Amino acid sequence: MAKDKCVLCGEETPYDESLHIDYRHGYIEGAGQLCKSCYDRGTKRTHITIPADVIYNTPNDQELGQKVRTIYNQST
Ligand SMILES: [Zn+2]
């Protein structure tokens, strides 16, 4: 029997796809099964938007990370 995968990270969870959700831990109705690590991170799921030109014009990944963090810090 195939195991259900985490809807966030794709990790395999310990639960068979056929197992009723009443017998699972970390299942979010309307979303799906989460693995333990994603579930434990809680429900705070903030997203930010990065302009595509920032990514395109920053070929250096480390520099891009710095710009992403700056955008994140300005957004909160
Ligand atoms: Zn996960």
Side-chain angles (χ1 to χ4, degrees):
M1 186 66 65
K3 300 292 186 188
D4 217 353
K5 291 192 168 47
C6 173
V7 293
L8 280 181
C9 72
E11 274 291 301
E12 199 170 81
T13 69
Y15 306 109
D16 284 338
E17 286 176 345
S18 62
L19 183 68
H20 194 278
I21 60 172
D22 285 354
Y23 301 103
R24 298 174 180 213
H25 180 71
Y27 190 91
I28 313 289
E29 278 186 76
Q33 184 65 52
L34 297 179
C35 71
K36 187 176 186 317
S37 116
C38 288
Y39 186 77
D40 287 348
R41 265 189 268 144
T43 54
K44 188 171 185 282
R45 308 237 179 265
T46 307
H47 292 81
I48 61 170
T49 303
I50 306 298
D53 73 288
V54 170
I55 297 168
Y56 183 78
N57 292 317
T58 314
N60 181 293
D61 285 347
Q62 192 173 348
E63 200 182 316
L64 177 60
Q66 208 166 38
K67 289 182 181 178
V68 169
R69 191 179 298 281
T70 301
I71 292 169
Y72 170 75
N73 287 337
Q74 288 167 350
S75 74
T76 53

